[in-house]
């Protein structure tokens, strides 16, 4: 298994990124910002994007594991790699997600802790309702990890 920095043809992963973030304009806005990483094991299994918020804080902006390979530890391996990679340059990593049982327990298991919320983020920034497990997402929940 190896995790590689992707510097060219980032748009090849656009459809993957939409699985984690349905709003195209938001994905387009951060696709070429920051670093894109791909975890490969007999092909790419997980992709992530990390952007830089300020001198202390980087943000995991998108993380997706190919649906047929979810639950095999790839997402966690990617996150543990990112923690150690950015440890020397940043003090914190943040991640924002909907209040969903699909993602919050996953990020907590990986080591993030709930930090703050942005009320109504999904209602204000998405052009259609985002429903996960039958629940309408409203607030953006930010989780944080000291690196
Ligand atoms: C969220 C996502 C990235 C997780 O990636 P993954 O490769 O499937 O995750 P892993 O297999 O590494 O799971 C790591 C751990 O979290 C646990 N976990 C994963 N999803 C979970 C959930 N919904 N509830 C509780 N635990 C969960 C796993 O059981 C595993 O624990 P273990 O190590 O004790 O077995 C993946 O499900 C995905 O791509 N989902 C669609 C896109 C998305 O929603 N991205 C996040 C946007 S904020």
């Amino acid at each position: 298994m190896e995790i590689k920095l992707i510097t060219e043809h980032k748009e090849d992963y656009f459809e993957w990124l939409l699985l984690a973030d349905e709003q195209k304009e938001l994905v387009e806005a951060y696709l070429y910002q920051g670093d894109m990483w791909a975890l490969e094991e007999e092909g790419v299994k997980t992709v992530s994007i990390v952007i830089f918020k300020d001198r202390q804080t980087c943000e995991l902006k998108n993380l997706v594991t190919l649906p047929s390979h979810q639950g095999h530890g790839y997402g966690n391996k990617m996150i543990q790699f990112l923690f150690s990679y950015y440890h020397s340059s940043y003090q914190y990593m943040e991640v924002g997600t909907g209040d969903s049982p699909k993602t919050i327990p996953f990020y907590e298991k990986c080591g993030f802790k709930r930090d703050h919320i942005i009320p109504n983020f999904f209602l204000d920034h998405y052009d259609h309702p985002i429903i996960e497990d039958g629940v309408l997402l409203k607030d953006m929940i930010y989780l944080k990890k000291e690196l």
Side-chain angles (χ1 to χ4, degrees), residues 52-85:
F52 310 107
K53 264 186 117 162
D54 56 44
R55 288 173 60 188
Q56 288 191 315
T57 311
C58 57
E59 178 176 346
L60 177 60
K61 214 46 194 164
N62 196 303
L63 175 75
V64 58
T65 297
L66 201 62
S68 54
H69 291 84
Q70 289 174 6
H72 290 89
Y74 293 123
N76 188 29
K77 282 203 177 93
M78 174 68 90
I79 286 179
Q80 301 312 319
F81 166 82
L82 297 175
F83 287 163
S84 61
Y85 183 86

Side-chain angles (χ1 to χ4, degrees), residues 2-69:
E2 57 181 335
I3 297 178
K4 290 183 183 165
L5 193 61
I6 304 294
T7 55
E8 293 181 330
H9 306 300
K10 292 184 177 185
E11 60 283 354
D12 290 354
Y13 294 102
F14 195 71
E15 295 298 320
W16 289 52
L17 302 172
L18 291 176
L19 296 174
D21 188 347
E22 292 181 28
Q23 190 67 32
K24 277 186 176 182
E25 292 77 11
L26 293 181
V27 177
E28 280 163 1
Y30 60 70
L31 180 61
Y32 295 102
Q33 277 185 42
D35 296 337
M36 178 185 267
W37 295 95
L39 179 154
E40 288 189 21
E41 190 171 71
E42 295 170 11
V44 176
K45 300 293 189 280
T46 300
V47 172
S48 67
I49 292 182
V50 175
I51 65 162
F52 310 107
K53 264 186 117 162
D54 56 44
R55 288 173 60 188
Q56 288 191 315
T57 311
C58 57
E59 178 176 346
L60 177 60
K61 214 46 194 164
N62 196 303
L63 175 75
V64 58
T65 297
L66 201 62
S68 54
H69 291 84

